[in-house]
Amino acid sequence: MAAYDDRDGKIWMDGAMVNWRDANVHLLTHGLHYASSVFEGERAYNGKIFKSRQHSERLHFSADQLDFEIPFSVDQIEAAKEQVLKENGLTDAYIRAVAWRGAGEDMGVASARNPVRLAIAAWEWGNYYGDAKMKGAKLDIAKWKRPSPETIPSHAKAAGLYMICTLSKHAAEAKGCSDAMMFDYRGYVAEATGANIFFVKDGEVHTPKPDCFLNGITRQTVIGMLEERQIKVHERHIEPGELEGFEQCWLTGTAAEVTPVGQIGDYTFEVGALAREISEGYEKLVRE
């Protein structure tokens, strides 16, 4: 597979389409040094980006949380995403929109005088966890915890929040796992490194309350699907000791879609009927 910096195609940058290999930034870009960057991950199915506008609105929200303003409106971002798909001849694709403080007059922690940049790329991307949709993903338990919302803007989809996710996923992959489940700063079950998590017990669904991590768009979609099926959903704090009593588990996210989980640490789960139903139902929903 070609490296991400060496491909044919076009990337939208600051209002113009540029050749893929020319989509570069300066070494002294503020976002590279201080994580003043926010992003969105989205998927297009049959030429339509699922919940596209919600993603564009959240990108603006995340930028606001990091104290900068994206110089393009939601409508302009929507048009740019469509243009990227068209220019690259894609109908089923992953879309990455990223906004950041660029290089400018400031190169310290403060960066109010630096321009805000925006770029949008798209590429073909298959199942995030390979064949886990059939067999169930295997998860490690991360040593890093999701931080308190008093220490970081935890409801923004901000690049800096993913540093401990990268560390956790690397450690998991070294153990032969697909991903890692993280606890929060209080010791409650939180999420995986790039996906929210759900559990099933006695026909009801339990999912961590997103009070210190991202309330994912896919997460919200799946809760809606469950409620339409009249399945009780408990959004609450989940203690680590409860993992032993859950029967099924799955992950949700734009990249992950809905992926059943077969194991977390020493705990095992059935890839059961409800996990399969929601996974298959989501695949149908996004293509409607």
Side-chain angles (χ1 to χ4, degrees):
M1 186 176 182
Y4 279 95
D5 63 346
D6 187 21
R7 298 185 178 195
D8 296 327
K10 299 285 187 178
I11 292 177
W12 186 98
M13 291 189 74
D14 302 318
M17 300 299 298
V18 301
N19 291 328
W20 191 289
R21 294 176 181 85
D22 297 330
N24 300 314
V25 297
H26 194 273
L27 175 65
L28 297 183
T29 292
H30 193 272
L32 177 63
H33 294 258
Y34 298 103
S36 50
S37 172
V38 297
F39 70 97
E40 283 295 319
E42 311 172 41
R43 279 192 188 264
Y45 301 90
N46 299 329
K48 182 180 179 182
I49 302 172
F50 185 64
K51 299 204 170 178
S52 179
R53 194 170 189 88
Q54 283 183 240
H55 282 284
S56 297
E57 290 171 347
R58 189 172 66 179
L59 187 69
H60 269 268
F61 169 81
S62 296
D64 181 69
Q65 294 291 292
L66 267 65
D67 194 32
F68 68 80
E69 183 177 351
I70 296 172
F72 295 92
S73 68
V74 168
D75 285 340
Q76 288 173 314
I77 295 171
E78 288 294 288
K81 288 188 289 188
E82 294 296 333
Q83 186 180 2
V84 167
L85 289 177
K86 182 179 179 180
E87 290 280 347
N88 290 284
L90 296 170
T91 55
D92 288 71
Y94 180 86
I95 298 94
R96 171 59 56 89
V98 57
W100 69 98
R101 289 192 182 273
E105 296 180 56
D106 293 323
M107 196 45 213
V109 173
S111 59
R113 293 180 295 177
N114 288 14
V116 174
R117 309 281 306 277
L118 175 65
I120 301 169
W123 60 89
E124 292 182 343
W125 203 5
N127 291 336
Y128 188 63
Y129 295 114
D131 61 359
K133 284 190 176 181
M134 297 300 296
K135 301 192 301 184
K138 180 180 178 182
L139 272 59
D140 186 26
I141 296 178
K143 72 174 184 178
W144 300 101
K145 295 183 177 181
R146 301 310 298 165
S148 164
E150 295 179 339
T151 65
I152 200 163
S154 56
H155 297 293
K157 195 169 178 67
L161 285 162
Y162 285 79
M163 178 185 68
I164 56 174
C165 297
T166 298
L167 294 173
S168 299
K169 192 168 175 69
H170 284 177
E173 290 177 342
K175 298 177 183 178
C177 298
S178 300
D179 204 346
M181 187 193 74
M182 308 179 79
F183 296 119
D184 70 17
Y185 66 102
R186 298 159 297 195
Y188 296 129
V189 174
E191 59 177 348
T193 64
N196 294 123
I197 194 164
F198 289 76
F199 300 95
V200 179
K201 183 177 181 180
D202 298 330
E204 297 184 346
V205 173
H206 304 257
T207 188
K209 185 178 180 180
D211 55 2
C212 66
F213 57 87
L214 202 68
N215 182 12
I217 290 172
T218 309
R219 177 187 184 275
Q220 296 171 50
T221 300
V222 166
I223 288 174
M225 292 172 61
L226 291 163
E227 290 175 343
E228 287 176 0
R229 289 165 170 77
Q230 298 185 327
I231 295 170
K232 181 68 176 178
V233 180
H234 303 273
E235 295 185 72
R236 63 180 182 84
H237 294 144
I238 297 174
E239 299 277 358
E242 296 183 67
L243 293 173
E244 187 175 7
F246 292 129
E247 301 148 7
Q248 300 177 53
C249 176
W250 66 75
L251 302 176
T252 65
T254 294
E257 298 171 300
V258 178
T259 299
V261 173
Q263 184 175 350
I264 302 175
D266 294 329
Y267 303 102
T268 57
F269 307 91
E270 173 194 6
V271 181
L274 184 55
R276 293 187 185 279
E277 178 184 344
I278 296 302
S279 179
E280 292 168 3
Y282 181 79
E283 290 186 10
K284 181 179 178 182
L285 175 65
V286 296
R287 291 175 171 83
E288 288 181 348

